[in-house]
């Protein structure tokens, strides 16, 4: 494990071009930043350790976890998803500290939800803070490309007062910390995870379509790992090097460095993406929330547009424990695309 006070400087010591993006990022090999979490031989290192394949079959899924805990930073990976019939398959790239804070954990999620043949993968984002699992803040989207055709970059920027999700350097969601959120904003050190698992009970049309293992193994391919954050001591859960928003370097409109904010050009792209591709937002879910959560800013046009999509069914704590929240020493048995300018 790297030295906690200088870890992020070491991780940023060399720069290469990330696939699917114009951004130069500090890439690390798998062994430099990650360890296997579960799955035995369903995790396979390739290309001299620069890429890893995670597979799901009838025996088990698989996953990996960062060697360090981080308090804020920029975390990214390029990912190519399985193709053909993938209903029930869930691939996750996320941050969590559930192994340290069982009852009040934080979480920042990318979840990729498979589908039946001829239907597109969906992408879902979510956050929890201080164990706020009863107040899911999910959003769900289509994509402007087929994520099983090639590698695309998925990134999380996490600072003291904002969380931004990116796809190929396009911000798709911004969460600003507000006083009304209280402890629901993630604020404790977290590890970075990736997993593939069987989410048949909820992931595709509320469990209507399930995994068909005749198409197994389902393989998710990861590469271009970025762990550009402030590593903390796992006992003290702190570091003298970790400031509020100063763990990443400044950026400008040329998109040539690690971001700290959404540029005007990027904001225009984000608004376009959300208008064309967002299919669900918790802020407009009147079944789950009779009154929208306090941080929601309601847009009547957006509310009307989202009504055309079918209601989204979400799993509860059980599916998350089975599929995602693995202790580092555990080994569970099972773990509308359109053009976009």
């Amino acid at each position: 494990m790297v030295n906690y006070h200088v870890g992020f400087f070491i991780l940023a010591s060399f720069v290469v071009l990330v696939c699917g993006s114009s951004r130069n990022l500090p890439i690390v090999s798998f062994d430099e930043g990650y360890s296997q979490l579960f799955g035995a031989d369903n995790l396979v290192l390739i290309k001299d350790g620069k890429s890893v394949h995670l597979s799901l079959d009838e025996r088990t899924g698989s996953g990996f976890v960062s060697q360090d805990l981080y308090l804020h930073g920029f975390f990214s990976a390029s990912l190519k998803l399985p193709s053909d019939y993938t209903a029930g398959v869930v691939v996750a790239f996320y941050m969590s500290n559930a192994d340290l804070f069982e009852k009040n954990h934080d979480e920042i999620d990318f979840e990729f939800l498979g589908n039946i043949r001829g239907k597109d993968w969906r992408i879902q984002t979510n956050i929890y803070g201080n164990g706020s699992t009863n107040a899911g803040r999910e959003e769900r989207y289509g994509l402007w490309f087929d994520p099983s055709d090639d590698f695309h970059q998925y990134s999380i920027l996490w600072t003291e007062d904002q969380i931004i999700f990116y796809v190929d350097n396009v911000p798709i969601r911004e969460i600003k910390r507000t006083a009304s959120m209280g402890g629901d904003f993630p604020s404790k050190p977290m590890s970075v995870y990736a997993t593939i698992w069987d989410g048949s009970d909820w992931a595709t049309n509320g469990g209507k379509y399930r995994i068909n293992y005749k198409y197994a193994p389902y393989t998710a391919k990861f590469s271009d790992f970025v762990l550009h954050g402030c590593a903390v001591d796992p006992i003290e859960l702190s570091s003298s090097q970790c400031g509020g928003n100063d763990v990443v370097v400044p950026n400008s409109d040329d998109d040539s460095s690690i971001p700290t904010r959404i540029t005007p050009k990027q904001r225009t792209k984000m608004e376009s993406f959300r208008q064309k591709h967002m299919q669900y937002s918790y802020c407009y879910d009147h079944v789950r929330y009779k009154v929208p959560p306090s941080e929601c800013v309601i847009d009547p046009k957006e509310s009307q547009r989202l009504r055309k999509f079918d209601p989204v069914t979400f799993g509860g704590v059980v599916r998350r424990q089975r599929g995602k929240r693995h202790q580092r020493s555990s080994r569970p048995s099972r773990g509308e695309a359109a053009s976009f300018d």
Side-chain angles (χ1 to χ4, degrees):
M1 189 171 294
V2 299
N3 180 282
Y4 299 106
H5 297 306
V6 299
F8 111 89
F9 297 106
I10 294 174
L11 292 176
S13 60
F14 62 98
V15 176
V16 299
L17 184 65
V18 172
C19 294
S21 171
S22 62
R23 183 186 299 281
N24 288 324
L25 294 172
I27 306 301
V28 299
S29 67
F30 181 84
D31 287 339
E32 284 180 288
Y34 287 101
S35 299
Q36 183 166 5
L37 181 63
F38 72 104
D41 56 0
N42 278 14
L43 184 152
V44 177
L45 284 175
I46 60 172
K47 294 183 179 179
D48 298 324
K50 297 292 170 59
S51 299
V52 65
H53 291 181
L54 295 182
S55 294
L56 166 67
D57 56 28
E58 290 180 295
R59 300 175 300 115
T60 184
S62 52
F64 57 82
V65 59
S66 62
Q67 296 172 13
D68 287 332
L69 288 159
Y70 297 92
L71 183 61
H72 308 140
F74 184 83
F75 309 96
S76 181
S78 290
L79 170 60
K80 182 178 180 181
L81 293 167
S83 60
D84 202 13
Y85 183 97
T86 55
V89 177
V90 179
V91 178
F93 177 65
Y94 66 107
M95 304 186 71
S96 178
N97 49 32
D99 56 342
L100 295 175
F101 303 97
E102 184 176 351
K103 296 182 179 180
N104 64 333
H105 85 285
D106 305 304
E107 195 167 311
I108 303 173
D109 297 338
F110 266 118
E111 290 181 312
F112 305 89
L113 311 178
N115 218 327
I116 59 177
R117 184 181 288 113
K119 297 291 185 178
D120 300 322
W121 279 84
R122 284 81 35 80
I123 182 173
Q124 182 168 295
T125 62
N126 195 13
I127 71 162
Y128 297 122
N130 203 32
S132 59
T133 55
N134 63 331
R137 289 175 165 82
E138 296 94 344
E139 288 189 352
R140 189 172 290 185
Y141 328 87
L143 291 167
W144 65 97
F145 54 83
D146 182 346
S148 67
D149 278 348
D150 204 351
F151 284 89
H152 293 270
Q153 179 194 357
Y154 304 91
S155 310
I156 296 168
L157 173 65
W158 172 40
T159 74
E160 189 175 48
D161 55 19
Q162 67 178 342
I163 295 167
I164 302 172
F165 294 90
Y166 296 84
V167 177
D168 285 345
N169 197 32
V170 175
I172 65 169
R173 184 180 184 184
E174 177 185 32
I175 302 165
K176 294 183 178 180
R177 186 175 195 162
T178 64
S180 63
M181 292 181 71
D184 287 3
F185 190 89
S187 58
K188 299 185 292 292
M190 291 188 279
S191 301
V192 184
Y193 293 82
T195 57
I196 185 171
W197 52 285
D198 185 336
S200 291
D201 291 342
W202 69 277
T204 309
N205 288 64
K208 179 179 179 180
Y209 300 106
R210 307 181 67 84
I211 281 186
N212 186 336
Y213 281 104
K214 78 176 185 179
Y215 298 107
Y218 298 98
T219 301
K221 302 176 181 180
F222 289 82
S223 65
D224 300 324
F225 302 109
V226 179
L227 290 167
H228 192 88
C230 189
V232 303
D233 187 291
I235 304 300
E236 300 294 332
L237 296 180
S238 64
S239 169
S240 61
Q241 301 295 318
C242 295
N245 291 319
D246 56 357
V247 298
V248 286
V249 299
N251 76 311
S252 61
D253 284 342
D254 65 3
D255 295 336
S256 61
S257 59
I258 296 287
T260 59
R261 58 184 173 85
I262 296 176
T263 68
K265 180 180 178 182
Q266 288 176 326
R267 189 166 297 279
T268 298
K269 290 183 178 181
M270 181 174 72
E271 291 171 354
S272 177
F273 170 84
R274 294 175 67 82
Q275 182 178 5
K276 293 179 180 180
H277 299 290
M278 188 163 69
Q279 301 175 357
Y280 170 89
S281 170
Y282 74 104
C283 287
Y284 302 105
D285 192 329
H286 303 296
V287 175
R288 297 173 72 200
Y289 302 106
K290 302 304 181 184
V291 177
S294 58
E295 74 273 8
C296 290
V297 177
I298 302 302
D299 181 337
K301 291 183 179 180
E302 192 169 70
S303 178
Q304 182 65 31
R305 182 176 57 81
L306 292 177
R307 286 182 181 179
K308 71 178 182 179
F309 293 101
D310 294 333
V312 175
T313 301
F314 294 98
V317 174
V318 173
R319 63 97 176 169
R320 291 187 172 276
Q321 288 176 336
R322 289 177 59 201
K324 291 171 62 182
R325 291 180 187 161
H326 302 290
Q327 299 289 339
R328 292 172 185 252
S329 61
S330 68
R331 183 179 167 182
S333 59
R334 180 179 296 273
E336 202 162 45
S339 62
F340 177 63
D341 300 318

